């Protein structure tokens, strides 16, 4: 990269960050998620299982000449199956000063470049700083969503993260540490609300400290907790307990990384009630007479599907 400070990734990130808050990028109105666009796609590889890679991600990888991937966070089976034809570069241990010119030069040379993140790049992915640095170099970029580990975890647990009368909210968070100060750690607040499913990323190593803080704050020690190690990977493991005992179980299993921690009654799904989505109100038409009930129901699936997808998002 040039010695010109304008080409420095940090300079680009600072400029982009300071410039945000005004009008949205014109591309926001020209494209939606799933569109193939010009530039380098930042693709979510999903939580682990290669079958959880999206169709869009699969297609982009099929045409890739260079795939810069997130190392061991991306299942090697996925790399073998979908990226075996491409040059692979592990981003672990490389800083932006190395990664940005690598991707820029390959793109400018006419190669199809894919930046492959684990899970979904929008969740703790540190993607935007790379994208801003590339855009500053004249290389367009765009997001391609992936399946985040919280969704794989809920599928493994055979439950929903939101359940009527159990959990109306979901919090994606991380515990305090080098990145997050104690004042920025809101896990106890989320758990204290009672109807929040709290999904803790990057916190396997801090399970005991987190649970101890919850107990010190007076949170119910019997609150269900699940720790899903390598959700959707071949060596996936599920540990279920409570705030009071989950730390012992995780330490006994020897896990210090690569697990998602889920706190709340949605872990077991106990006590949920039938939703209103498929209740009597959903079948009401403009005429409540029995003769029109079939017509009203016939019109309902599209609206139901729309609401279901809105809840999932």
């Amino acid at each position: 990269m040039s010695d010109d400070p304008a080409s420095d990734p940090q300079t680009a990130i600072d400029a982009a960050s300071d410039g945000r808050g005004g009008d949205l990028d014109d591309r926001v109105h020209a494209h939606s998620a799933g569109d193939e666009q010009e530039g380098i796609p930042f693709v979510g590889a999903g939580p682990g299982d290669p079958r959880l890679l999206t169709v869009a991600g699969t297609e982009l990888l099929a045409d890739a000449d260079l795939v810069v991937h997130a190392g061991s966070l991306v299942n090697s089976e996925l790399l073998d199956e979908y990226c075996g034809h491409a040059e692979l570069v592990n981003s672990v241990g490389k800083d932006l000063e190395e990664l940005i010119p690598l991707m820029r030069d390959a793109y400018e040379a006419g190669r199809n470049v894919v930046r492959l993140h684990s899970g979904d790049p929008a969740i703790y992915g540190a993607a935007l700083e790379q994208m801003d640095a590339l855009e500053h170099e004249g290389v367009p970029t765009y997001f391609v969503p992936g399946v985040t580990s919280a969704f794989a975890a809920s599928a493994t647990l055979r439950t929903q993260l939101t359940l009527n009368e159990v959990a109306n909210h979901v919090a994606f968070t991380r515990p305090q540490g080098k990145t997050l100060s104690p004042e920025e750690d809101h896990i106890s607040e989320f758990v204290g609300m009672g109807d929040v499913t709290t999904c803790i990323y990057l916190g396997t190593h801090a399970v005991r400290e987190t649970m101890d803080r919850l107990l010190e704050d007076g949170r119910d020690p019997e609150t269900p907790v699940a720790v899903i190690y390598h959700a959707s990977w071949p060596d996936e493991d599920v540990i279920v307990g409570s705030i009071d005992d989950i730390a012992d179980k995780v330490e006994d299993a020897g896990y210090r990384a690569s697990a998602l921690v889920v706190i709340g009654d949605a872990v077991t799904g106990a006590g949920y009630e039938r939703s209103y989505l498929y209740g009597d109100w959903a079948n009401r038409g403009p005429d409540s007479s029995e003769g029109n009930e079939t017509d009203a129901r016939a019109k309902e699936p599209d609206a139901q599907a729309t609401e279901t997808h809105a809840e999932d998002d």
Side-chain angles (χ1 to χ4, degrees):
M1 182 173 285
S2 165
D3 291 334
D4 180 357
S7 297
D8 176 66
Q10 188 61 56
T11 301
I13 293 166
D14 292 341
S17 179
D18 292 341
R20 293 185 186 277
D23 294 334
L24 292 176
D25 190 303
D26 289 342
R27 289 170 293 181
V28 170
H29 306 290
H31 295 284
S32 61
D35 288 351
E36 186 168 352
Q37 303 176 40
E38 179 184 359
I40 296 178
F42 277 61
V43 175
D49 189 320
R51 294 181 65 241
L52 296 179
L53 177 68
T54 66
V55 172
T58 302
E59 292 173 349
L60 288 164
L61 288 173
D63 293 333
D65 301 308
L66 170 65
V67 176
V68 181
H69 64 90
S72 62
L73 296 178
V74 176
N75 192 338
S76 61
E77 293 181 6
L78 185 151
L79 295 175
D80 291 342
E81 183 169 351
Y82 295 111
C83 310
H85 60 283
E87 178 187 355
L88 298 179
V89 174
N90 185 344
S91 64
V92 176
K94 294 179 174 61
D95 57 26
L96 292 183
E97 286 70 19
E98 185 175 357
L99 288 173
I100 299 307
L102 170 72
M103 292 188 283
R104 178 203 62 198
D105 292 348
Y107 179 78
E108 291 180 346
R111 305 180 73 192
N112 290 326
V113 181
V114 172
R115 179 64 168 107
L116 189 62
H117 276 244
S118 60
D120 184 299
I123 304 294
Y124 298 116
L128 194 59
E129 61 197 51
Q130 300 171 66
M131 298 170 81
D132 282 341
L134 284 166
E135 296 269 349
H136 193 75
E137 295 284 301
V139 178
T141 62
Y142 61 101
F143 280 107
V144 178
V147 178
T148 188
S149 59
F151 300 152
S154 68
T156 288
L157 292 171
R158 305 180 69 83
T159 188
Q160 294 180 203
L161 298 178
T162 59
L163 279 170
N164 192 35
E165 299 300 325
V166 172
N168 293 307
H169 316 279
V170 180
F172 289 171
T173 187
R174 64 186 300 178
Q176 58 186 261
K178 291 182 179 179
T179 301
L180 212 66
S181 70
E183 292 74 23
E184 296 169 322
D185 181 340
H186 301 297
I187 293 174
S188 183
E189 296 170 47
F190 296 142
V191 174
M193 292 177 185
D195 64 342
V196 177
T197 303
T198 303
C199 301
I200 303 176
Y201 288 72
L202 306 171
T204 318
H205 67 287
V207 168
R208 181 167 297 281
E209 292 86 347
T210 300
M211 298 304 140
D212 286 347
R213 282 192 293 271
L214 291 176
L215 293 172
E216 290 170 4
D217 288 345
R219 306 309 176 208
D220 184 355
E222 298 302 316
T223 301
V225 182
V227 175
I228 302 88
Y229 172 77
H230 264 179
S232 84
W233 291 60
D235 60 346
E236 176 187 81
D237 191 14
V238 178
I239 303 173
V240 179
S242 64
I243 289 176
D244 191 46
D245 65 11
I246 194 67
D248 289 337
K249 294 182 178 182
V250 172
E251 289 177 2
D252 287 344
Y255 300 136
R256 292 282 298 170
S258 303
L260 185 87
V261 181
V262 183
I263 306 175
D265 290 327
V267 166
T268 63
Y272 87 92
E273 296 186 7
R274 178 175 176 170
S275 73
Y276 295 110
L277 186 60
Y278 301 106
D280 290 340
W281 73 271
N283 298 320
R284 288 204 301 267
D287 187 334
S288 59
S289 65
E290 184 176 348
N292 286 330
E293 184 176 357
T294 300
D295 290 340
R297 287 180 177 177
K299 296 176 181 177
E300 193 55 33
D302 288 343
Q304 291 175 351
T306 299
E307 183 163 352
T308 301
H309 287 309
E311 288 183 352
D312 288 344
D313 289 338

